[in-house]
Amino acid sequence: MADTAMDEPAEAGAVAVYKRIFKEVLESRPSGMRLRLAHAMGKNRSFVSQISNPAYPVPIPVQHLNTIFDVCHFPPQAKSAFLRAYARAHPRRIGRLTEGAHERTLTLHLPDLGDAKRNAELDALLQEFARRLSAIMREK
């Protein structure tokens, strides 16, 4: 599946190579994956669009890679190709992927409050709660 991106010529840009692999995986997933991924990363959908578009030079921050792999269920071959391309693009960042605590994704089913702003506030509140609770748990 990622064969086209794996065969990408070097002059196309190292960032574009791994973003093309990411885009291929995203496009093979059910609709709504960008929004689901955005929620898991604590970002908005436009952030996912930027980091998955090979035309934009914006790199994917290393702290989001494990979340991306988990939420998008990267096939092993695509994940290997992605990591090789990411390491070529950012040789100093890839080492940070295995450092520190890993995050995992938990999906919650919440009531629809009938208002996009209130739903976003509830989502942000729960994300902040989880971040703070995780920080407290890591201190012990």
Side-chain angles (χ1 to χ4, degrees), residues 103-123:
E103 293 183 350
R104 59 187 180 92
T105 302
L106 172 67
T107 302
L108 298 174
H109 296 273
L110 302 170
D112 184 347
L113 301 176
D115 178 22
K117 184 179 177 185
R118 291 182 66 208
N119 284 338
E121 288 174 355
L122 178 61
D123 294 351

Side-chain angles (χ1 to χ4, degrees), residues 68-128:
I68 290 169
F69 297 146
D70 288 344
V71 172
C72 296
H73 303 288
F74 260 61
Q77 183 181 8
K79 184 177 177 181
S80 294
F82 179 94
L83 288 173
R84 281 193 308 272
Y86 195 90
R88 278 193 305 272
H90 314 291
R92 287 183 285 176
R93 289 186 195 173
I94 196 70
R96 293 181 12 213
L97 187 60
T98 57
E99 294 175 358
H102 293 281
E103 293 183 350
R104 59 187 180 92
T105 302
L106 172 67
T107 302
L108 298 174
H109 296 273
L110 302 170
D112 184 347
L113 301 176
D115 178 22
K117 184 179 177 185
R118 291 182 66 208
N119 284 338
E121 288 174 355
L122 178 61
D123 294 351
L125 175 69
L126 292 173
Q127 288 172 350
E128 181 63 24

Side-chain angles (χ1 to χ4, degrees), residues 4-80:
T4 56
M6 289 176 7
D7 297 332
E8 189 73 25
E11 62 270 10
V15 173
V17 173
Y18 71 74
K19 289 175 91 172
R20 190 161 288 117
I21 296 168
F22 179 34
K23 184 177 181 182
E24 287 178 14
V25 171
L26 263 180
E27 290 176 349
S28 69
R29 298 298 178 239
S31 65
M33 182 56 73
R34 282 178 167 78
L35 183 59
R36 190 169 155 213
L37 183 57
H39 286 162
M41 291 190 297
K43 302 290 184 181
N44 57 41
R45 196 167 49 191
S46 66
F47 177 77
V48 175
S49 295
Q50 283 192 5
I51 64 171
S52 64
N53 188 337
Y56 294 133
V58 179
I60 299 176
V62 70
Q63 69 267 24
H64 295 305
L65 294 184
N66 284 321
T67 302
I68 290 169
F69 297 146
D70 288 344
V71 172
C72 296
H73 303 288
F74 260 61
Q77 183 181 8
K79 184 177 177 181
S80 294

